[in-house]
Amino acid sequence: MSITIGIPRSLYYYKFYPLWNTFFEELGAKVVVSDHTSKYILDQGVKSCVDEACLPVKIFHGHVLNLKDRVDCLFIPRFTSISKNEYICPKFGGLPDVVRNTLSGLPAVIDTEVNLRKSGKNALLAAYDAGKHFCADKRHIRKAFDKAVMCYRQYKKQLMDGKLPGDIFDKKAPKSKAHGAKPLNIAVIGHEYNLYDRYVNMNLLQKLKSSVANIITVDMLSEELINEKTRQLPKRMFWNFGRRAVGAALHLLERKDIDGVIFIMSFGCGVDSFVCDLVERRIRRESMIPFLVLTIDEHSGEAGMDTRLEAFIDMIRWRCSCENNLPAYG
Ligand code: SF4
C-alpha cells in the first residue's frame, strides 16, 4: 500500500503544489491536501498557534490539524531561500519546528531544507532528501524531480497567461465577466497565500472580476521584466517577495493601462510592512494611480472589506468619467 503524504493547503502550497504533487506521485506516494480554508480551520489555527504569529502561519497550523489524522506523514519543508542570493521570511525556516512543538499527535514530518541562496542546483539535493523517504533509487528520484519541474514550469506559464491557482488545481474554467461597464485594469500585489486563498482574502479576486476588472498579479509578469525594473533600485533587494513586488510596481508605473493598485498585507508581517511602504511611496510619488492597502487578520470582517473595495472601484470609475475624463494613470 502506498504511503500517504499530507500537504497543507496553505503558505507555499499556492507556489509549489504542482511540483510537489507530481514529485511525490511519481515516487508512488498518495498525496492528500487539506481542505479549503474555512472558519473552522482558521479558528483551530488561531487556538493552537502563538498570538504573535501572522495570520498565514496561524492558518497553516489549522491546515496541519485538518490533515494530521488522515496521513502517514506531513510535508513541511524548511524554506530558507527559493532564489539565488535572496532570502524569504525567517518564519518559513522555523516552521517545521514550530509546528512540531505546538501541535501534538502529529505523524512523521518530512522537513527537507530548501536553500537555493547559493545555487538553484540545491533544489535537486532537496529532492533527494525528500525522495529518500519513498524510494532508495536516486535515478528514480531524479526522474521524478525532472517531471515535477516540467509540471511546475507549465503551472507558471498558466499563471502568466492569467489563470488563477484555484481554477488550475480544480480544473475549472475561469468565470466570464459581466458585460456593461468598461473593464478596469487592477493590479493586486501580495503574498500568494493571501492572494489566492479565497477565504483569507474574502474572495477579493472574484469580487474584482465581477466588478468588471481585469486582474494583474505579479505572477502574470515575467521574471526578466521584474528583474530589469529592480536593477533600477539604488540597493539590491535581498527578499524574494520584496524584489518581485517592487519590480512589479515599477513596471506598473510605466504602463499606461493600469487603473488602480491594491496591496494585500498581513497584519503583523514584518516583510509586508516595509515592502508595502516602498511600493506605496513609489506609486504615490511617481504616478496618479489610485492605491489601496487592505490589511487582513483574523478579525477582518467581510462587510468592511467589501465597502472599501466598492468605494475604491466607484472612485476609479467616477474619476474616469468625471475628472476631465482622464483615466487614473493621467
Ligand atoms: S512573510 Fe509575513 S505573512 Fe508571510 S509568513 Fe512571514 S510574517 Fe507571515
Side-chain angles (χ1 to χ4, degrees):
M1 217 170 72
S2 53
I3 302 174
T4 50
I5 179 162
I7 297 184
R9 195 188 293 264
S10 180
L11 295 179
Y12 273 168
Y13 161 86
Y14 294 96
K15 201 173 184 78
F16 294 118
Y17 174 67
L19 185 138
W20 295 339
N21 182 47
T22 309
F23 179 68
F24 291 122
E25 281 192 352
E26 284 296 306
L27 294 179
K30 182 167 178 273
V31 175
V32 180
V33 180
S34 56
D35 298 337
H36 286 277
T37 309
S38 59
K39 177 155 176 25
Y40 183 74
I41 288 183
L42 168 69
D43 287 348
Q44 293 291 100
V46 170
K47 261 189 234 158
S48 58
C49 190
V50 290
D51 289 343
E52 293 73 21
C54 60
L55 181 67
V57 167
K58 288 178 183 168
I59 290 177
F60 187 85
H61 280 65
H63 280 278
V64 171
L65 288 170
N66 179 266
L67 276 174
K68 78 178 179 76
D69 296 325
R70 45 193 180 113
V71 294
D72 300 317
C73 56
L74 285 163
F75 184 54
I76 308 181
R78 188 185 299 281
F79 281 107
T80 306
S81 163
I82 55 169
S83 45
K84 204 170 168 202
N85 294 330
E86 284 177 345
Y87 287 100
I88 58 166
C89 168
K91 285 188 179 151
F92 283 89
L95 199 59
D97 302 321
V98 172
V99 169
R100 269 198 204 101
N101 287 296
T102 313
L103 306 176
S104 53
L106 294 182
V109 174
I110 298 178
D111 62 352
T112 299
E113 190 189 9
V114 179
N115 188 351
L116 311 188
R117 191 178 66 87
K118 292 213 170 102
S119 160
K121 289 186 189 136
N122 286 3
L124 182 59
L125 298 181
Y128 285 140
D129 187 69
K132 71 179 185 220
H133 298 273
F134 304 88
C135 169
D137 183 351
K138 269 192 155 186
R139 276 175 311 172
H140 189 48
I141 298 177
R142 174 73 205 242
K143 258 173 85 178
F145 176 68
D146 289 344
K147 190 159 180 198
V149 170
M150 229 165 65
C151 287
Y152 175 62
R153 290 197 180 126
Q154 277 168 8
Y155 171 61
K156 283 190 39 167
K157 168 135 193 350
Q158 286 175 301
L159 293 180
M160 278 192 70
D161 290 344
K163 290 200 176 140
L164 298 177
D167 296 336
I168 299 170
F169 300 159
D170 302 339
K171 297 193 171 53
K172 277 195 302 195
K175 280 189 191 155
S176 56
K177 286 172 216 141
H179 294 286
K182 176 185 165 286
L184 299 172
N185 292 323
I186 306 290
V188 192
I189 301 177
H191 297 281
E192 296 85 355
Y193 36 91
N194 289 334
L195 220 55
Y196 301 134
D197 187 323
R198 290 179 206 161
Y199 184 83
V200 170
N201 63 40
M202 295 163 228
N203 224 359
L204 173 84
L205 300 189
Q206 282 312 326
K207 282 175 186 163
L208 278 173
K209 280 188 173 183
S210 52
S211 320
V212 201
N214 295 319
I215 300 164
I216 297 115
T217 66
V218 179
D219 288 323
M220 293 175 194
L221 308 176
S222 74
E223 203 67 8
E224 292 74 34
L225 188 73
I226 290 172
N227 289 340
E228 188 197 312
K229 297 295 160 206
T230 41
R231 274 196 286 273
Q232 298 170 7
L233 294 170
K235 209 173 160 199
R236 200 173 62 76
M237 282 270 201
F238 56 87
W239 296 101
N240 175 279
F241 172 70
R243 172 182 55 82
R244 286 173 55 74
V246 175
L250 293 177
H251 161 73
L252 296 169
L253 280 173
E254 288 176 2
R255 277 173 65 160
K256 295 287 173 223
D257 63 341
I258 301 298
D259 295 296
V261 178
I262 299 176
F263 196 105
I264 308 184
M265 192 171 165
S266 293
F267 181 75
C269 168
V271 178
D272 276 357
S273 61
F274 78 82
V275 174
C276 179
D277 188 58
L278 265 177
V279 169
E280 183 168 5
R281 280 180 201 218
R282 296 298 289 243
I283 290 182
R284 293 209 192 282
R285 201 188 301 153
E286 294 167 34
S287 79
M288 291 172 68
I289 303 174
F291 183 76
L292 173 70
V293 181
L294 293 173
T295 305
I296 43 179
D297 71 359
E298 60 265 40
H299 308 294
S300 300
E302 189 159 358
M305 182 76 101
D306 287 353
T307 310
R308 295 195 65 200
L309 201 59
E310 280 164 24
F312 186 66
I313 297 290
D314 286 351
M315 181 269 296
I316 295 173
R317 287 208 180 284
W318 179 86
R319 201 172 167 180
C320 288
S321 59
C322 303
E323 208 178 62
N324 295 332
N325 211 15
L326 284 175
Y329 39 86

